[in-house]
Short mmCIF file of all heavy atoms in Angstrom, two decimals:
data_model
loop_
_atom_site.label_atom_id
_atom_site.label_comp_id
_atom_site.label_asym_id
_atom_site.label_seq_id
_atom_site.Cartn_x
_atom_site.Cartn_y
_atom_site.Cartn_z
N TYR A 1 55.68 28.68 17.85
CA TYR A 1 54.87 29.64 17.13
C TYR A 1 53.36 29.31 17.29
O TYR A 1 52.96 28.13 17.55
CB TYR A 1 55.23 29.48 15.55
CG TYR A 1 56.61 29.82 15.20
CD1 TYR A 1 57.41 28.78 14.98
CD2 TYR A 1 57.08 31.13 15.27
CE1 TYR A 1 58.64 29.01 14.57
CE2 TYR A 1 58.42 31.26 14.93
CZ TYR A 1 59.21 30.29 14.72
OH TYR A 1 60.56 30.51 14.35
N LEU A 2 52.56 30.29 17.18
CA LEU A 2 51.17 30.08 17.20
C LEU A 2 50.66 31.07 16.00
O LEU A 2 50.67 32.15 16.13
CB LEU A 2 50.48 30.44 18.47
CG LEU A 2 49.00 30.19 18.57
CD1 LEU A 2 48.73 28.60 18.52
CD2 LEU A 2 48.40 30.66 19.91
N GLN A 3 50.00 30.42 15.07
CA GLN A 3 49.38 31.11 13.93
C GLN A 3 47.85 31.16 14.33
O GLN A 3 47.19 30.25 14.68
CB GLN A 3 49.46 30.38 12.57
CG GLN A 3 48.80 31.07 11.53
CD GLN A 3 49.47 32.35 11.07
OE1 GLN A 3 50.77 32.37 10.97
NE2 GLN A 3 48.64 33.41 10.79
N LEU A 4 47.48 32.54 14.43
CA LEU A 4 46.12 32.82 14.84
C LEU A 4 45.44 33.46 13.67
O LEU A 4 45.71 34.42 13.14
CB LEU A 4 46.03 33.82 15.93
CG LEU A 4 46.62 33.54 17.28
CD1 LEU A 4 48.12 33.68 17.27
CD2 LEU A 4 46.12 34.36 18.42
N ASN A 5 44.28 32.59 13.18
CA ASN A 5 43.56 32.95 11.89
C ASN A 5 42.10 33.27 12.35
O ASN A 5 41.59 32.90 13.39
CB ASN A 5 43.59 31.99 10.90
CG ASN A 5 45.06 31.80 10.33
OD1 ASN A 5 45.80 32.78 10.25
ND2 ASN A 5 45.44 30.58 10.03
N ASN A 6 41.43 34.06 11.58
CA ASN A 6 40.07 34.30 11.79
C ASN A 6 39.80 34.75 13.29
O ASN A 6 38.93 34.11 13.91
CB ASN A 6 39.20 33.12 11.41
CG ASN A 6 37.68 33.45 11.27
OD1 ASN A 6 37.22 34.63 11.11
ND2 ASN A 6 36.89 32.41 11.53
N LEU A 7 40.47 35.77 13.63
CA LEU A 7 40.44 36.09 15.00
C LEU A 7 39.24 36.74 15.36
O LEU A 7 38.48 37.39 14.69
CB LEU A 7 41.48 37.07 15.28
CG LEU A 7 42.99 36.49 15.45
CD1 LEU A 7 44.09 37.58 15.30
CD2 LEU A 7 43.05 35.73 16.90
N LYS A 8 38.67 36.39 16.58
CA LYS A 8 37.47 36.87 17.14
C LYS A 8 37.70 37.90 18.30
O LYS A 8 38.85 37.67 18.97
CB LYS A 8 36.62 35.73 17.57
CG LYS A 8 36.16 34.58 16.52
CD LYS A 8 35.51 33.62 17.15
CE LYS A 8 35.20 32.51 16.08
NZ LYS A 8 34.32 31.44 16.49
N THR A 9 36.78 38.63 18.72
CA THR A 9 37.13 39.50 19.79
C THR A 9 37.27 38.87 21.03
O THR A 9 38.04 39.11 22.07
CB THR A 9 35.87 40.41 20.09
OG1 THR A 9 34.71 39.72 20.17
CG2 THR A 9 35.71 41.33 18.91
N GLU A 10 36.77 37.46 21.16
CA GLU A 10 36.85 36.63 22.41
C GLU A 10 38.33 36.11 22.50
O GLU A 10 38.58 35.46 23.51
CB GLU A 10 35.86 35.44 22.31
CG GLU A 10 34.43 35.82 22.27
CD GLU A 10 34.00 35.91 20.73
OE1 GLU A 10 33.74 35.02 20.06
OE2 GLU A 10 33.88 37.17 20.25
N ASP A 11 39.08 36.26 21.49
CA ASP A 11 40.44 35.78 21.41
C ASP A 11 41.41 36.91 22.23
O ASP A 11 42.50 36.57 22.38
CB ASP A 11 41.00 35.63 20.06
CG ASP A 11 40.28 34.38 19.50
OD1 ASP A 11 40.01 33.39 20.13
OD2 ASP A 11 39.97 34.46 18.17
N THR A 12 40.94 37.93 22.45
CA THR A 12 41.66 39.08 23.14
C THR A 12 42.17 38.54 24.58
O THR A 12 41.36 38.09 25.36
CB THR A 12 40.84 40.34 23.46
OG1 THR A 12 40.48 40.89 22.11
CG2 THR A 12 41.42 41.29 24.09
N ALA A 13 43.36 38.58 24.66
CA ALA A 13 44.09 38.11 25.82
C ALA A 13 45.60 38.23 25.80
O ALA A 13 46.11 38.54 24.81
CB ALA A 13 43.75 36.53 25.87
N MET A 14 46.21 38.06 26.88
CA MET A 14 47.63 37.94 26.96
C MET A 14 47.89 36.48 26.65
O MET A 14 47.37 35.53 27.30
CB MET A 14 48.13 38.24 28.43
CG MET A 14 49.57 38.29 28.53
SD MET A 14 50.30 39.70 27.60
CE MET A 14 49.85 41.03 28.63
N TYR A 15 48.77 36.22 25.63
CA TYR A 15 49.16 34.87 25.42
C TYR A 15 50.51 34.46 25.90
O TYR A 15 51.45 35.33 25.70
CB TYR A 15 49.19 34.80 23.79
CG TYR A 15 47.83 34.66 23.31
CD1 TYR A 15 46.98 35.79 23.17
CD2 TYR A 15 47.27 33.39 22.67
CE1 TYR A 15 45.66 35.61 22.75
CE2 TYR A 15 46.01 33.38 22.25
CZ TYR A 15 45.27 34.43 22.30
OH TYR A 15 43.88 34.41 21.75
N TYR A 16 50.68 33.30 26.53
CA TYR A 16 51.80 32.87 27.17
C TYR A 16 52.31 31.53 26.52
O TYR A 16 51.58 30.74 26.14
CB TYR A 16 51.62 32.61 28.59
CG TYR A 16 51.18 33.85 29.33
CD1 TYR A 16 49.84 34.04 29.47
CD2 TYR A 16 52.12 34.72 29.83
CE1 TYR A 16 49.39 35.11 30.26
CE2 TYR A 16 51.67 35.67 30.63
CZ TYR A 16 50.45 35.96 30.82
OH TYR A 16 49.93 37.05 31.63
N CYS A 17 53.61 31.53 26.36
CA CYS A 17 54.36 30.37 25.84
C CYS A 17 54.68 29.53 27.08
O CYS A 17 55.35 30.06 28.05
CB CYS A 17 55.55 30.74 25.19
SG CYS A 17 56.71 29.44 24.62
N ALA A 18 54.30 28.24 27.15
CA ALA A 18 54.58 27.32 28.32
C ALA A 18 55.34 26.03 27.95
O ALA A 18 55.20 25.69 26.74
CB ALA A 18 53.26 27.05 28.97
N LYS A 19 55.92 25.57 28.83
CA LYS A 19 56.73 24.42 28.64
C LYS A 19 56.32 23.22 29.67
O LYS A 19 55.80 23.52 30.78
CB LYS A 19 58.29 24.45 28.80
CG LYS A 19 58.69 24.70 30.07
CD LYS A 19 60.29 24.85 30.17
CE LYS A 19 60.85 23.55 29.97
NZ LYS A 19 60.80 22.60 31.03
N GLN A 20 56.41 22.06 29.17
CA GLN A 20 56.19 20.93 30.14
C GLN A 20 57.08 20.93 31.23
O GLN A 20 58.43 21.26 31.22
CB GLN A 20 56.57 19.54 29.20
CG GLN A 20 56.56 18.23 30.02
CD GLN A 20 57.10 17.19 29.24
OE1 GLN A 20 57.56 17.28 28.19
NE2 GLN A 20 56.80 15.94 29.74
N CYS A 21 56.67 20.75 32.50
CA CYS A 21 57.52 20.74 33.67
C CYS A 21 58.31 19.53 33.82
O CYS A 21 57.69 18.32 33.59
CB CYS A 21 56.63 20.85 35.02
SG CYS A 21 55.78 22.52 34.99
N ILE A 22 59.62 19.54 34.03
CA ILE A 22 60.46 18.33 34.13
C ILE A 22 60.95 18.33 35.52
O ILE A 22 61.45 19.27 36.10
CB ILE A 22 61.69 18.42 33.22
CG1 ILE A 22 61.12 18.40 31.75
CG2 ILE A 22 62.59 17.27 33.38
CD1 ILE A 22 60.40 17.19 31.36
N GLU A 23 60.82 17.15 36.20
CA GLU A 23 61.37 16.90 37.51
C GLU A 23 60.78 17.95 38.45
O GLU A 23 59.43 18.08 38.50
CB GLU A 23 62.81 16.90 37.52
CG GLU A 23 63.44 15.83 36.66
CD GLU A 23 64.88 15.70 36.68
OE1 GLU A 23 65.57 16.73 36.98
OE2 GLU A 23 65.48 14.68 36.34
N THR A 24 61.59 18.72 39.20
CA THR A 24 61.01 19.60 40.25
C THR A 24 61.15 21.08 39.82
O THR A 24 60.91 21.98 40.60
CB THR A 24 61.78 19.56 41.52
OG1 THR A 24 63.19 19.82 41.17
CG2 THR A 24 61.80 18.13 42.01
N GLU A 25 61.35 21.36 38.47
CA GLU A 25 61.54 22.67 38.08
C GLU A 25 60.37 23.66 38.17
O GLU A 25 60.63 24.90 38.28
CB GLU A 25 62.09 22.67 36.56
CG GLU A 25 61.03 22.32 35.51
CD GLU A 25 61.51 22.44 34.14
OE1 GLU A 25 62.71 22.75 33.88
OE2 GLU A 25 60.75 21.97 33.27
N CYS A 26 59.23 23.14 38.37
CA CYS A 26 58.02 23.97 38.42
C CYS A 26 57.67 24.16 39.91
O CYS A 26 56.53 24.81 40.02
CB CYS A 26 56.91 23.50 37.54
SG CYS A 26 57.23 23.62 35.81
N GLU A 27 58.30 23.53 40.86
CA GLU A 27 57.86 23.70 42.16
C GLU A 27 57.94 25.07 42.65
O GLU A 27 57.03 25.48 43.51
CB GLU A 27 58.84 22.83 43.07
CG GLU A 27 58.60 21.40 42.87
CD GLU A 27 59.50 20.52 43.94
OE1 GLU A 27 60.32 21.12 44.51
OE2 GLU A 27 59.21 19.35 44.02
N ARG A 28 58.77 25.90 42.12
CA ARG A 28 58.85 27.40 42.55
C ARG A 28 57.89 28.25 41.59
O ARG A 28 57.86 29.50 41.92
CB ARG A 28 60.22 27.83 42.47
CG ARG A 28 61.14 27.10 43.48
CD ARG A 28 62.60 27.64 43.46
NE ARG A 28 63.35 27.13 44.46
CZ ARG A 28 63.57 27.59 45.65
NH1 ARG A 28 62.95 28.67 46.04
NH2 ARG A 28 64.35 26.95 46.50
N ILE A 29 57.27 27.72 40.70
CA ILE A 29 56.44 28.54 39.91
C ILE A 29 55.00 28.76 40.50
O ILE A 29 54.48 27.83 40.86
CB ILE A 29 56.18 27.89 38.48
CG1 ILE A 29 57.59 27.62 37.77
CG2 ILE A 29 55.32 28.65 37.57
CD1 ILE A 29 58.40 28.79 37.49
N PRO A 30 54.65 29.92 40.56
CA PRO A 30 53.32 30.25 41.17
C PRO A 30 52.22 29.46 40.45
O PRO A 30 52.24 29.27 39.18
CB PRO A 30 53.13 31.69 40.96
CG PRO A 30 54.52 32.24 40.89
CD PRO A 30 55.23 31.24 40.17
N THR A 31 51.21 28.98 41.16
CA THR A 31 50.23 28.12 40.59
C THR A 31 49.38 28.80 39.54
O THR A 31 48.85 28.31 38.73
CB THR A 31 49.16 27.59 41.68
OG1 THR A 31 48.74 28.64 42.48
CG2 THR A 31 50.03 26.58 42.56
N SER A 32 49.37 30.18 39.70
CA SER A 32 48.68 31.00 38.62
C SER A 32 49.30 30.92 37.25
O SER A 32 48.67 31.35 36.30
CB SER A 32 48.62 32.49 39.08
OG SER A 32 50.02 32.99 39.22
N LYS A 33 50.47 30.38 37.25
CA LYS A 33 51.21 30.21 35.95
C LYS A 33 51.33 28.73 35.43
O LYS A 33 52.04 28.49 34.52
CB LYS A 33 52.61 30.83 36.15
CG LYS A 33 52.68 32.35 36.41
CD LYS A 33 54.09 32.74 36.53
CE LYS A 33 54.25 34.17 36.73
NZ LYS A 33 55.63 34.81 36.81
N VAL A 34 50.49 27.89 36.05
CA VAL A 34 50.57 26.49 35.85
C VAL A 34 49.19 25.93 35.42
O VAL A 34 48.15 26.37 35.91
CB VAL A 34 51.14 25.76 37.02
CG1 VAL A 34 51.08 24.22 36.88
CG2 VAL A 34 52.44 26.28 37.47
N LEU A 35 49.27 25.09 34.47
CA LEU A 35 48.07 24.28 34.10
C LEU A 35 48.44 22.84 33.90
O LEU A 35 49.54 22.61 33.41
CB LEU A 35 47.42 24.69 32.81
CG LEU A 35 46.63 26.16 32.81
CD1 LEU A 35 46.23 26.46 31.48
CD2 LEU A 35 45.51 26.00 33.79
N VAL A 36 47.58 21.96 34.18
CA VAL A 36 47.86 20.48 33.84
C VAL A 36 46.75 20.08 32.87
O VAL A 36 45.55 20.23 32.90
CB VAL A 36 47.55 19.62 35.14
CG1 VAL A 36 47.66 18.15 34.87
CG2 VAL A 36 48.47 20.17 36.37
#
């Protein structure tokens, strides 16, 4: 979950749920969907 309070116009965005990459599971994920 993500509780968003006192929202600002700058918070406008598409929000994504992400998981820690384990072993090689993220090798096929486009880099545009990845952050370190």
